[in-house]
Amino acid sequence: ITVWSLDGEVPVRKAFCPGRSRSLAVLREHGRVQLASATADGIRLWDPETGEVLTHFAHHLNVAAVVAFDAEDDEQLLAVASGSTVSLWSPATEAPARTQLTWLSAGPVTELARILTGQGTLLAAGDERGRLAVWRLVPRRLAANLVGRHDDWVNSLAMVGSGRRQLLASTADDRQVRLWDLTAGQLYGSPISHATQVQVVVPVDGDMVTGDQHGWLRRWSVDGVLHWGIDTRFEPIRAMTSFYRAGGWWVVTAGGPGHCLLWGAESGRL
């Protein structure tokens, strides 16, 4: 696991994580920042300043995804996808949270995402059979609301749009990006088709940027209008994040033979 400085564009810290790192989450509590990494043999909490392993949760095997969120009592919790279940854990006590979620997937859960809305914090999940579910975490409502489904393995979930039109975007191996109106509980507009599997989607200033199996990066409006597309020449794009900095939006992609690339989201330039 490598921590990078965006100012110097150089790695500032590296930490060894046994096994394949499948997911990372950032925890912030009492001014302290920690990283949670999900692997086949559990979850490890890291100090990003020193690279030291602080805690190893060995309660779960084959963890596919982990996300962090603030609970109603200001406690930080981890949502963990392992096998066909999604459970809540307290990193402070290293024990399950007092209340748990009530959805059992029909197949292994492949993706989790924390969704911030005007009505509270949501947790979205997708599984290898294409099903999507959403929970309201803050305020807590533990029964899952099944939103819809893809025709194949769900790869990525993100909240996109702006203002009153906030939508859940999902990508999958069925080569589509689908948008979901969480208020109505139904598909929004028509699916956006790609030539290959869509690996990731991130929000950018009311729009969304997608990365696919062939290394293509594209920016779309939520109505399916393509603003730009670029062949990164590093395939596939396995992971991506977006952020606002210095007056503009930026996208970082990871894929190919160990490359992380920084792109301007307005122009698509490297």
Side-chain angles (χ1 to χ4, degrees), residues 24-57:
L24 288 174
V26 178
L27 295 89
R28 297 180 178 89
E29 194 170 18
H30 306 303
R32 186 183 186 188
V33 177
Q34 297 178 17
L35 295 177
S37 62
T39 64
D41 67 343
I43 297 172
R44 287 174 172 80
L45 299 186
W46 304 82
D47 184 334
E49 295 295 325
T50 65
E52 177 188 2
V53 178
L54 304 174
T55 306
H56 177 206
F57 293 88

Side-chain angles (χ1 to χ4, degrees), residues 7-174:
D7 292 321
E9 298 182 15
V10 293
V12 295
R13 188 80 57 215
K14 290 188 177 182
F16 176 69
C17 184
R20 177 186 176 190
S21 297
R22 300 176 177 176
S23 178
L24 288 174
V26 178
L27 295 89
R28 297 180 178 89
E29 194 170 18
H30 306 303
R32 186 183 186 188
V33 177
Q34 297 178 17
L35 295 177
S37 62
T39 64
D41 67 343
I43 297 172
R44 287 174 172 80
L45 299 186
W46 304 82
D47 184 334
E49 295 295 325
T50 65
E52 177 188 2
V53 178
L54 304 174
T55 306
H56 177 206
F57 293 88
H59 312 287
H60 301 282
L61 296 178
N62 296 317
V63 178
V66 58
V67 298
F69 67 95
D70 295 320
E72 292 173 279
D73 53 5
D74 293 327
E75 178 188 17
Q76 280 259 301
L77 294 179
L78 293 174
V80 180
S82 177
S84 299
T85 63
V86 178
S87 56
L88 303 181
W89 286 76
S90 169
T93 62
E94 301 183 27
R98 291 186 296 275
T99 53
Q100 289 295 323
L101 305 176
T102 57
W103 182 62
L104 182 64
S105 169
V109 179
T110 56
E111 178 67 1
L112 292 178
R114 182 190 63 171
I115 306 296
L116 301 178
T117 71
Q119 289 72 45
T121 302
L122 308 179
L123 177 69
D127 68 19
E128 70 171 18
R129 298 189 180 183
R131 297 202 320 166
L132 300 172
V134 174
W135 297 265
R136 187 175 301 282
L137 295 177
V138 181
R140 190 75 58 83
R141 188 178 68 198
L142 301 177
N145 175 28
L146 188 63
V147 174
R149 65 175 301 146
H150 281 265
D151 297 324
D152 208 333
W153 187 296
V154 176
N155 291 319
S156 181
L157 300 163
M159 200 67 163
V160 300
S162 60
R164 295 182 178 180
R165 189 167 62 174
Q166 289 188 310
L167 306 166
L168 176 65
S170 58
T171 73
D173 279 358
D174 61 6

